[in-house]
Amino acid sequence: DVKVTQSSRYLVKRTGEKVFLECVQDMDHENMFWYRQDPGLGLRLIYFSYDVKMKEKGDIPEGYSVSREKKERFSLILESASTNQTSMYLCASGTDYGYTFGSGTRLTVV
Amino acid sequence: GQNIDQPTEMTATEGAIVQINCTYQTSGFNGLFWYQQHAGEAPTFLSYNVLDGLEEKGRFSSFLSRSKGYSYLLLKELQMKDSASYLCAVRDRETDSWGKFQFGAGTQVVVTP
């Protein structure tokens, strides 16, 4: 089974802090994705990557950046965390035929 | 882009059947997926439809009509563990090379004893 591992399950950060969310997959997938999930809004795509060092903006990239230095690792960066970035963050890895999601990181910005 | 609509919540009794509808609008449809998500957990893959018709997988079935922009997920013989959110996701041909999907907001299914 594909395994997608997110480094933290819960995080609490202060406004203005730089925050790194890490995601690692073990199935050699080229495509990796970062979503945030909020009640009533569903999953919204922040950024995705289809190859090492390649990245594309999703639907809500503002306030975020990403890094893909190695195929198995895709990092989401909040340059200066704000309270409206409090959310569940989900990383996914996959192909045209489906994704595998990580267990999620619940980030609270205070 | 896509617009994906599904009901917010549905309630059904243990042992019953529930049908979750999903309608979508897309410029270039190229596949529809259903995921299950239990509270506090990651979504898990349930089904994939790219051609019209019914795909059956145990107690769960998924139907697609491309001409109507419509799909449903059918859950039979409901069990308490089926209480979860069910997400409809659509893949668009414009972004097919990157496997990018658009998700609906999810339907919360509540199974009562």
Side-chain angles (χ1 to χ4, degrees):
Chain A
D1 282 350
V2 178
K3 194 169 182 181
V4 179
T5 304
Q6 294 184 229
S7 52
S8 304
R9 193 69 191 265
Y10 299 95
L11 273 180
V12 180
K13 296 292 182 180
R14 295 193 180 278
T15 301
E17 277 193 79
K18 190 168 186 176
V19 181
F20 292 86
L21 303 182
E22 305 288 346
C23 176
V24 178
Q25 52 99 358
D26 65 359
M27 280 298 289
D28 204 35
H29 284 154
E30 293 178 342
N31 300 333
M32 296 187 74
F33 308 84
W34 274 106
Y35 286 87
R36 63 177 284 177
Q37 187 173 33
D38 302 288
L41 296 177
L43 286 162
R44 292 181 292 167
L45 182 64
I46 304 171
Y47 266 97
F48 64 103
S49 170
Y50 53 92
D51 203 351
V52 176
K53 296 192 185 296
M54 304 300 284
K55 59 186 179 184
E56 292 285 336
K57 293 180 179 179
D59 300 318
I60 51 165
E62 296 79 18
Y64 304 94
S65 62
V66 290
S67 172
R68 185 112 182 255
E69 295 296 318
K70 294 184 178 181
K71 194 172 188 178
E72 67 270 19
R73 186 180 296 270
F74 191 35
S75 302
L76 180 70
I77 303 155
L78 286 66
E79 296 290 342
S80 177
S82 63
T83 53
N84 64 10
Q85 292 178 309
T86 291
S87 186
M88 170 68 87
Y89 290 88
L90 287 162
C91 174
S93 163
T95 69
D96 292 348
Y97 303 102
Y99 292 174
T100 297
F101 284 89
S103 55
T105 297
R106 185 163 292 282
L107 173 68
T108 302
V109 182
V110 297
Chain B
Q2 303 103 341
N3 290 315
I4 301 173
D5 291 312
Q6 50 183 130
T8 304
E9 185 171 316
M10 303 181 75
T11 301
T13 308
E14 200 172 7
I17 298 173
V18 70
Q19 177 175 313
I20 307 168
N21 295 325
C22 172
T23 58
Y24 63 88
Q25 294 174 302
T26 180
S27 49
F29 175 84
N30 202 19
L32 186 141
F33 300 77
W34 284 96
Y35 282 80
Q36 180 192 59
Q37 186 178 23
H38 286 102
E41 297 182 12
T44 55
F45 172 82
L46 286 179
S47 69
Y48 167 58
N49 295 70
V50 66
L51 299 176
D52 290 349
L54 187 68
E55 295 277 344
E56 297 188 79
K57 195 183 290 186
R59 294 188 299 114
F60 293 1
S61 304
S62 57
F63 171 83
L64 175 67
S65 169
R66 288 172 296 171
S67 62
K68 295 181 180 178
Y70 169 69
S71 173
Y72 68 72
L73 180 70
L74 195 68
L75 284 61
K76 293 179 277 191
E77 300 169 20
L78 276 174
Q79 302 176 8
M80 297 300 291
K81 67 178 182 179
D82 297 330
S83 291
S85 182
Y86 292 84
L87 310 177
C88 176
V90 173
R91 192 175 76 210
D92 189 304
R93 190 174 294 123
E94 289 179 357
T95 56
D96 183 46
S97 60
W98 300 323
K100 185 164 76 101
F101 309 148
Q102 195 84 11
F103 284 83
T107 298
Q108 184 66 43
V109 170
V110 178
V111 181
T112 59

